Amino acid sequence: MKIATTLNNLKNITLKYPLVLLSAISLFVYLFLQIDESSTFLAFGIIFSTAIPLFFSLKMLSKRVGKEWLLNIIGIIGLIGYYIILPKPGAEFNDSYIFIIIPIYVLVHLFVAVAPFLFKKNDEYTFWDYNKNLFINIVTSFIFSGVLTLGVLSIIYTIESLFNVRFDEKTYVRTFFFIATIGNTIIFLLFVNKDETENTQQKEFPVVLKFFTQFVLIPIMFLYTIILYLYSIKLLVIWKLPEGWLSYSILSYSIIGILALLLVYPLRNETKKSWVKWFYKIFYYSLLPLIALLFVAIFTRLLEYGFTEPRYYVLLLAIWLTVVTLYFILYKKASIEFIPKSLILFIIFSLICPYFSASSVAIRSQEYEFKKLLEEKDLLANGKIDYNADVTHETLTNLNSKIKFLNERNATEGVLPYLSKAKQIELVEENPYWLFSYEEFKNVITETPQGVDDLRLIVGLSDSVKVIPIERKSWVWEASYIIYNKNNIINIGNDKIDIILSDQDLYLTLNDSEKINFYPQIKAFTDEKLKSQRKNITLDEIKFTQNLGKYKVTVYLGSISLLSNYIDYGVKYIIFQER
């Protein structure tokens, strides 16, 4: 009977949500092919993962307005348009796409929350109950999927161990992908289908959710509030501008707090839950001073560095948070529907509004910052960049990063007039990672950081490292991922070699007895090069050799920097040769 019921439920969700399941299956197939490296087109994975919540929300909307087939066609057209703007095979997937993908992904999930409640006036409790069930179903689906994944993977491992059967190594990954895509979607839809067949109105507030919000989430929010207020008082006392991370802390606190209020919404007027009621009343008022501090932190960064997409979205969220806070403080009949619906409008604004979209604002801002940097550093002669002018490493890095930012967004038209004809051609046709090299400028200055007496030297390899010849009875260790301040143990035959890298040591110990330290050589080399103001060096110049027992050990560095009070360096290769 249970099997028949389960099969009947599977049949029902297949008939109700065919495009949702088809999207989950397509996502699994894409991930399956990715394992075999027969598909590298990231756009497909993005489209299929977006399609799952999109088609589910359209199904919810169709229950309100009908015309399911028309809504699905609109959804398919929207996905095709989304596909067109994503990078094609062979194209570089750069940061600019992230700030399209993440907002759209958030948008379709918010649409799930409001789709059944569009175009009509709704009961507050019905809206809350629907979203509460969604939240519980999502969490439960992840728990079920996680337990199922662990169980199935354990079974596969047990079969391998007990019966000496060897599965393909990729079997574990494929199993995880199957349950995480198709399995998780089916489990979620089964829970949704169960909710639809039961009357969920006026049920008792879920005990687990009540306990979590009352005794975990809200107490944490109280403590977080105290910490943020104490930090704000500290800033006022020392009269210091806030650090950049403060913006993210306040936004995180605010969003989690709003989520907590939504979760306890039906308890807000219960006298038995007086402290929940108290939290509900004071929360938005407590945000007002923090919002003011948030804007100070945001504009401190914007005035110094200009807009980028992350800073745009931080400012956008700050404005949205201000609107939501004032709405709930000033409007006596405030509805919780306003929270997701207003955020949807803000995200749509950021994506498509001409001139004020995230990409448009960021591009114009970085063009302006590029021009301002050229003018402030006196790097212009007759409207073009002057390669005879004095320039610092920091300035060149800033110029290159801004050019790279604009080039990734195909928006270099505004800076092309400042470049020579040769540089314009190089930028447009060759798409270089760094447009300006140190060698092109005749007077590159090693700058002294503010408040630091030591000079700063940054050096790098001027020739690429591909292969280091290894002679007879020689071994090479690729040390790019050396663990800092930990024992890195390698074995050569019966010999054990411990390698420890720290701020002022690079120790190699042979068989727990003989020990050498390369740091003194590295420091002597850096001191010498600092005096000569060298910018670029060759591979042979940053290799260091010592004897360790029967081995001649050669350390090759990949990078080295002399900062204010210490040397920062990265080890690339260590070669051991029998003497």
Side-chain angles (χ1 to χ4, degrees):
M1 183 64 69
K2 290 289 184 181
I3 295 176
T5 302
T6 302
L7 291 175
N8 186 56
N9 289 334
L10 287 173
K11 177 183 176 181
N12 287 337
I13 65 171
T14 301
L15 294 174
K16 284 184 178 181
Y17 307 98
L19 291 181
V20 176
L21 289 170
L22 180 61
S23 300
I25 293 169
S26 301
L27 180 59
F28 168 69
V29 172
Y30 166 80
L31 294 172
F32 185 95
L33 295 176
Q34 282 291 101
I35 299 173
D36 294 323
E37 298 181 352
S38 58
S39 171
T40 56
F41 196 4
L42 185 60
F44 281 137
I46 296 169
I47 292 297
F48 297 144
S49 61
T50 305
I52 296 172
L54 175 63
F55 286 123
F56 179 80
S57 61
L58 292 176
K59 177 66 177 181
M60 295 295 103
L61 179 60
S62 69
K63 294 180 179 180
R64 168 62 61 100
V65 300
K67 301 179 180 178
E68 183 177 351
W69 63 271
L70 178 60
L71 291 174
N72 286 334
I73 290 174
I74 293 173
I76 292 170
I77 293 173
L79 290 173
I80 292 173
Y82 188 21
Y83 165 85
I84 291 172
I85 65 176
L86 290 173
K88 304 304 178 287
E92 181 185 0
F93 187 91
N94 55 54
D95 292 347
S96 62
Y97 291 106
I98 294 175
F99 301 105
I100 297 174
I101 295 167
I102 293 178
I104 288 179
Y105 205 64
V106 173
L107 187 64
V108 294
H109 282 82
L110 286 172
F111 190 45
V112 173
V114 302
F117 303 95
L118 295 176
F119 311 120
K120 288 184 181 179
K121 186 174 179 59
N122 305 290
D123 173 66
E124 285 277 280
Y125 183 84
T126 303
F127 177 81
W128 176 86
D129 189 63
Y130 164 79
N131 281 280
K132 177 262 295 179
N133 289 336
L134 274 183
F135 176 77
I136 293 175
N137 290 342
I138 290 170
V139 173
T140 308
S141 304
F142 275 112
I143 294 173
F144 275 48
S145 300
V147 173
L148 183 61
T149 301
L150 290 174
V152 174
L153 293 182
S154 298
I155 290 171
I156 296 173
Y157 178 77
T158 303
I159 293 173
E160 283 190 320
S161 302
L162 297 180
F163 298 99
N164 199 26
V165 177
R166 289 291 172 261
F167 291 102
D168 187 333
E169 293 179 356
K170 298 172 183 175
T171 300
Y172 291 91
V173 181
R174 288 170 179 152
T175 302
F176 169 76
F177 283 156
F178 179 82
I179 299 175
T181 54
I182 299 174
N184 185 68
T185 303
I186 289 174
I187 293 170
F188 173 76
L189 292 178
L190 286 173
F191 282 122
V192 171
N193 191 56
K194 181 181 177 182
D195 288 341
E196 291 175 350
T197 58
E198 296 178 358
N199 181 19
T200 59
Q201 294 293 318
Q202 305 303 324
K203 281 192 174 182
E204 191 71 24
F205 195 95
V207 176
V208 174
L209 191 60
K210 183 185 296 185
F211 181 86
F212 173 73
T213 52
Q214 282 186 256
F215 302 107
V216 178
L217 195 55
I218 291 179
I220 289 175
M221 296 305 299
F222 275 125
L223 292 174
Y224 209 159
T225 305
I226 294 170
I227 292 170
L228 288 175
Y229 268 85
L230 289 176
Y231 181 76
S232 303
I233 294 170
K234 174 188 171 183
L235 292 179
L236 290 174
V237 171
I238 65 176
W239 199 245
K240 180 183 176 182
L241 289 173
E243 302 288 343
W245 63 265
L246 182 63
S247 303
Y248 300 104
S249 299
I250 295 176
L251 285 174
S252 300
Y253 162 78
S254 305
I255 292 171
I256 294 173
I258 290 173
L259 175 62
L261 292 184
L262 292 176
L263 289 175
V264 299
Y265 176 76
L267 305 177
R268 70 195 188 284
N269 293 323
E270 289 189 19
T271 55
K272 294 180 181 179
K273 311 292 188 263
S274 58
W275 69 305
V276 174
K277 181 178 180 181
W278 183 64
F279 176 76
Y280 196 91
K281 285 185 175 181
I282 70 165
F283 174 74
Y284 288 108
Y285 289 96
S286 74
L287 285 182
L288 291 175
L290 296 178
I291 289 174
L293 186 61
L294 173 62
F295 278 104
V296 172
I298 291 171
F299 281 102
T300 298
R301 303 289 291 178
L302 289 178
L303 293 174
E304 187 173 359
Y305 302 110
F307 275 96
T308 57
E309 287 94 345
R311 294 180 197 131
Y312 175 95
Y313 278 107
V314 169
L315 177 60
L316 190 78
L317 284 173
I319 296 172
W320 170 77
L321 180 61
T322 305
V323 171
V324 169
T325 300
L326 294 177
Y327 171 79
F328 277 94
I329 289 176
L330 300 177
Y331 190 48
K332 293 183 179 179
K333 296 183 179 180
S335 169
I336 56 175
E337 289 185 46
F338 181 81
I339 294 172
K341 288 180 178 179
S342 61
L343 186 54
I344 287 173
L345 293 176
F346 271 78
I347 293 175
I348 293 174
F349 173 89
S350 73
L351 290 170
I352 66 173
C353 181
Y355 196 79
F356 292 109
S357 67
S359 60
S360 299
V361 171
I363 288 169
R364 287 199 311 275
S365 177
Q366 290 306 303
E367 284 180 351
Y368 171 77
E369 293 295 325
F370 181 83
K371 298 170 188 175
K372 184 174 77 171
L373 187 60
L374 292 177
E375 292 170 355
E376 288 180 349
K377 303 300 181 181
D378 294 323
L379 293 177
L380 292 175
N382 299 321
K384 302 287 185 181
I385 292 178
D386 182 11
Y387 291 93
N388 294 314
D390 294 340
V391 63
T392 65
H393 291 280
E394 182 182 6
T395 299
L396 277 181
T397 300
N398 286 338
L399 289 174
N400 275 316
S401 64
K402 295 181 190 310
I403 286 285
K404 179 175 178 287
F405 178 93
L406 295 170
N407 198 28
E408 288 177 345
R409 289 151 181 80
N410 298 312
T412 56
E413 296 84 359
V415 300
L416 288 178
Y418 299 95
L419 308 179
S420 64
K421 288 293 183 183
K423 281 295 177 186
Q424 291 180 18
I425 294 171
E426 181 183 351
L427 180 60
V428 174
E429 296 183 0
E430 298 181 19
N431 191 26
Y433 185 78
W434 283 137
L435 183 65
F436 304 113
S437 65
Y438 295 128
E439 291 85 355
E440 292 175 314
F441 288 83
K442 294 183 178 179
N443 300 302
V444 180
I445 301 170
T446 303
E447 63 267 27
T448 303
Q450 185 176 2
V452 178
D453 295 329
D454 299 332
L455 290 177
R456 183 182 183 190
L457 175 69
I458 300 178
V459 297
L461 294 178
S462 59
D463 54 352
S464 61
V465 180
K466 294 183 179 178
V467 176
I468 296 178
I470 303 299
E471 301 171 357
R472 185 171 173 270
K473 292 189 177 181
S474 300
W475 299 266
V476 62
W477 185 49
E478 212 280 77
S480 296
Y481 300 102
I482 188 169
I483 303 175
Y484 191 75
N485 269 337
K486 296 286 184 181
N487 269 24
N488 299 270
I489 301 174
I490 61 174
N491 295 288
I492 301 176
N494 295 324
D495 294 324
K496 184 187 77 168
I497 300 173
D498 295 275
I499 303 171
I500 298 180
L501 172 67
S502 63
D503 282 346
Q504 297 188 358
D505 292 301
L506 176 53
Y507 281 117
L508 279 78
T509 306
L510 176 63
N511 296 326
D512 299 321
S513 57
E514 298 183 64
K515 179 185 291 187
I516 55 176
N517 186 5
F518 279 93
Y519 183 81
Q521 283 181 277
I522 296 171
K523 185 177 187 307
F525 166 81
T526 309
D527 291 342
E528 178 186 349
K529 294 302 173 185
L530 178 62
K531 294 174 184 176
S532 62
Q533 298 285 302
R534 287 283 302 281
K535 299 188 297 294
N536 290 288
I537 57 177
T538 64
L539 174 62
D540 286 338
E541 287 183 279
I542 51 174
K543 73 175 184 181
F544 308 94
T545 302
Q546 291 189 47
N547 293 328
L548 178 63
K550 65 180 181 180
Y551 299 102
K552 183 175 79 170
V553 183
T554 304
V555 171
Y556 286 85
L557 301 185
S559 63
I560 181 170
S561 303
L562 179 61
L563 304 179
S564 59
N565 57 1
Y566 70 97
I567 299 171
D568 182 30
Y569 58 92
V571 181
K572 186 68 176 174
Y573 298 100
I574 300 179
I575 296 178
F576 303 88
Q577 296 172 294
E578 282 193 7
R579 293 193 289 163

